[in-house]
Amino acid sequence: MTIYVDADACPVKAEIYKVAERHQALVQVVANSWISVPRVDWITLTVVGRRLDEADDWIAERVKPGDVVVTADVPLAGRCVKAGAWVLAPNGRAFTADSIGMDLAVRNLMTELRSADPLGMSGGGPKPFSQKDRSAFLQALHETLVRLRKGP
């Protein structure tokens, strides 16, 4: 089992490392530029090019059933769910085969609404990442790894 981290904007990398160590899981951190990661043999940093979606492509080409992917990127989540991986957003929300269609539809709708408002007058944007989100992620990752260890 490997935990793949879409790392460039991931706010829960420290939490991933903590839970992965407890569960003896490998962590593959994927980023478009160098970032600091702990120097341990079970964490690997892969720096891909700066091409749009290059980190996403790298992860999607390697992920397999039984792996875990941490990303807020809905299209990447969809590709990984299709490959049989377990996918979590940084707030702990799971992307599943049952939910990914709606997740993609909502994401596309929001993209269209933002493009129809070029001055950004509709305001909004994502809510700030909170301690509650961080705690929910820790719990979700732990539960996911326990479920995977137990098998089907």
Side-chain angles (χ1 to χ4, degrees), residues 77-107:
R79 293 168 69 186
C80 294
V81 165
K82 186 175 181 181
W86 294 68
V87 184
L88 295 174
N91 64 3
R93 183 177 177 282
F95 293 101
T96 67
D98 292 336
S99 72
I100 197 66
M102 183 60 74
D103 294 326
L104 285 164
V106 168
R107 180 231 182 233

Side-chain angles (χ1 to χ4, degrees), residues 23-95:
H23 289 273
Q24 299 179 339
L26 300 175
V27 178
Q28 178 66 61
V29 179
V30 184
N32 292 105
S33 59
W34 186 89
I35 59 172
S36 179
V37 299
R39 291 179 181 256
V40 293
D41 61 355
W42 48 271
I43 298 175
T44 304
L45 171 65
T46 298
V47 178
V48 297
R50 294 187 177 268
R51 182 179 49 82
L52 183 65
D53 296 331
E54 194 159 352
D56 298 355
D57 292 343
W58 194 96
I59 293 168
E61 290 167 4
R62 288 161 179 80
V63 72
K64 61 189 180 310
D67 288 337
V68 177
V69 177
V70 179
T71 185
D73 185 291
V74 179
L76 173 59
R79 293 168 69 186
C80 294
V81 165
K82 186 175 181 181
W86 294 68
V87 184
L88 295 174
N91 64 3
R93 183 177 177 282
F95 293 101

Side-chain angles (χ1 to χ4, degrees), residues 96-137:
T96 67
D98 292 336
S99 72
I100 197 66
M102 183 60 74
D103 294 326
L104 285 164
V106 168
R107 180 231 182 233
N108 292 340
L109 175 63
M110 296 308 293
T111 299
E112 286 181 33
L113 290 174
R114 281 191 298 274
S115 68
D117 182 19
L119 299 178
M121 301 300 283
S122 62
K127 64 180 176 129
F129 195 76
S130 70
Q131 185 58 42
K132 182 178 175 184
D133 295 326
R134 196 172 301 283
S135 295
F137 175 79

